Amino acid sequence: MTKLGRIAALVVLLLTGTAPAMAQDLAKNILTGGPTGTYIQIGRDIAGLMETCGQTLTVRESAGSLENFLGVRNRPATQFGIVQSDVLEYLQTYSADDPDIARAVAGVRIAFPLYNEEVHILASRDIEGLSDLAGKRVAIGVADSGTFLTASLILDLTGTEPGETLTIGPDESMAQLLDGQIDAFFYVAGAPTALFEEAGIDAERFHLLPISDEVLQAVYTPAEIPAGTYAFQDGPLDVVAVKAVLMTYEYVPTRNTYHRASCQAVSDVSNLILTQFETLRGEGHPKWQKVDLNDLPPGWEIASCVNAGLAADYVPNCPNVSPPMEQNVTNSVYRERICAAIGC
């Protein structure tokens, strides 16, 4: 079975093995990523907005994009998940011919586009480029992560065949690389990511690989990791990137109590992200400064509960918080641009 075939089988397994949301569980959760990744920091920033509103949005660690997508689809009390855009493209492509994948996709919606995530490949110094990964020991992320899918696609598109691929997470990958047990590992995350800032990487032994392959530059978004992003980095580095997207579900408020409460949570979060966008840019993770709320991935619908929260007269449910937070002129312009794009 090919790597992509295994991914399709994994999607079906996760779909059938996840319990449906229970109506009585009205907690609010966002699935993010590992403890050193950018997803979890973005999730904490969003949770911080909800905290200022007097609500609790619990940030949950996860393996990554595939788990997050299917968690939004099926996991109890999970209204949000951060997902890579190439995972969305993959699922959309396979849903046309696979009814199980189509069932996984059904009901999942876009909340907001976020930022570009750079493809990091950290390798020993004797490896100079992607082609040198042939025959090497390479970690490609755990099997339900976006890194796993992106790494699998990149290796397939470039015809690169490592001697061994390991499906382990970023922290274990880093430990094994530093210990000489593997030669390189993939990690898809918004730069700067704490994993590479905190690991004490020896610049004489390790470096990030450039990704300048013409096919990959056409399939993915060309990007640059600027000089000085990481202490061990020699200079600016050409790579490719995928977009991170905040996903949610198409809740129907008239269906039951769970749908009604979850829809309000989605509307509240959407309203707070929009009205406090400049706060996120000024006080949140640096990647908020790269977010374009209009840059929607093609082929995916905006959730109706998101649209409700973007309405000019929407007032978020902020218990014991008074007066309501004001929206500045910049955010008013954002609202007009977003509504022009998505029809709210």
Side-chain angles (χ1 to χ4, degrees):
M1 183 183 290
T2 66
K3 290 187 182 73
L4 299 186
R6 288 197 295 271
I7 294 170
L10 176 67
V11 170
V12 174
L13 177 64
L14 291 174
L15 175 65
T16 56
T18 310
M22 301 302 291
Q24 67 268 26
D25 192 347
L26 302 180
K28 297 179 281 291
N29 293 276
I30 177 171
L31 283 172
T32 56
T36 57
T38 307
Y39 280 5
I40 198 163
Q41 297 174 68
I42 293 294
R44 287 169 179 160
D45 290 338
I46 297 172
L49 292 184
M50 287 289 273
E51 186 177 359
T52 65
C53 182
Q55 298 192 54
T56 299
L57 176 67
T58 302
V59 178
R60 300 290 185 187
E61 293 184 20
S62 76
S65 290
L66 278 172
E67 180 181 343
N68 295 353
F69 183 95
L70 295 171
V72 166
R73 174 67 175 80
N74 287 312
R75 187 166 167 171
T78 303
Q79 294 84 5
F80 301 98
I82 303 177
V83 180
Q84 289 173 203
S85 58
D86 58 348
V87 171
L88 299 185
E89 292 169 9
Y90 167 84
L91 291 170
Q92 193 172 63
T93 298
Y94 270 73
S95 68
D97 300 313
D98 189 322
D100 289 319
I101 302 295
R103 187 159 59 93
V105 170
V108 180
R109 299 288 187 268
I110 295 287
F112 286 109
L114 295 174
Y115 52 88
N116 284 339
E117 297 185 277
E118 291 79 11
V119 178
H120 299 70
I121 308 175
L122 187 64
S124 57
R125 279 284 178 182
D126 61 308
I127 297 173
E128 297 181 359
L130 271 170
S131 62
D132 295 328
L133 296 178
K136 302 295 187 180
R137 297 162 297 171
V138 181
I140 59 173
V142 294
D144 48 356
S145 68
T147 291
F148 174 78
L149 183 135
T150 300
S152 299
L153 288 171
I154 286 176
L155 293 173
D156 284 350
L157 287 168
T158 58
T160 304
E161 296 187 10
E164 180 183 2
T165 55
L166 293 81
T167 52
I168 55 178
D171 294 317
E172 186 176 354
S173 296
M174 179 67 78
Q176 290 201 23
L177 179 66
L178 296 181
D179 196 41
Q181 298 179 53
I182 62 174
D183 301 297
F185 73 92
F186 284 77
Y187 187 40
V188 181
T193 177
L195 179 69
F196 293 120
E197 293 179 319
E198 299 172 359
I201 299 167
D202 184 352
E204 294 186 0
R205 295 179 58 201
F206 306 104
H207 69 145
L208 289 170
L209 298 186
I211 306 176
S212 54
D213 182 271
E214 291 183 1
V215 172
L216 296 181
Q217 292 275 333
V219 172
Y220 290 93
T221 301
E224 179 186 84
I225 299 178
T229 300
Y230 303 113
F232 65 90
Q233 186 181 345
D234 291 335
L237 189 72
D238 290 330
V239 293
V240 294
V242 297
K243 184 169 289 295
V245 180
L246 183 64
M247 306 298 295
T248 186
Y249 189 75
E250 183 65 2
Y251 295 105
V252 181
T254 57
R255 181 172 297 173
N256 55 41
T257 301
Y258 173 79
H259 271 251
R260 184 162 55 254
S262 292
C263 183
Q264 182 171 52
V266 171
S267 297
D268 287 347
V269 167
S270 301
N271 182 271
L272 292 170
I273 289 175
L274 179 65
T275 59
Q276 301 300 308
F277 191 51
E278 290 305 306
T279 299
L280 290 171
R281 283 184 156 182
E283 301 177 8
H285 188 279
K287 276 295 183 182
W288 283 108
Q289 298 173 25
K290 303 294 185 180
V291 171
D292 181 354
L293 297 179
N294 303 283
D295 190 13
L296 301 168
W300 290 86
E301 297 180 33
I302 301 293
S304 59
C305 299
V306 171
N307 280 338
L310 298 180
D313 59 351
Y314 184 83
V315 178
N317 176 35
C318 296
N320 304 319
V321 176
S322 180
M325 291 170 284
E326 296 181 0
Q327 180 180 183
N328 63 30
V329 174
T330 302
N331 288 327
S332 296
V333 173
Y334 271 115
R335 182 193 297 278
E336 292 176 4
R337 289 173 56 197
I338 293 167
C339 288
I342 68 176
C344 61

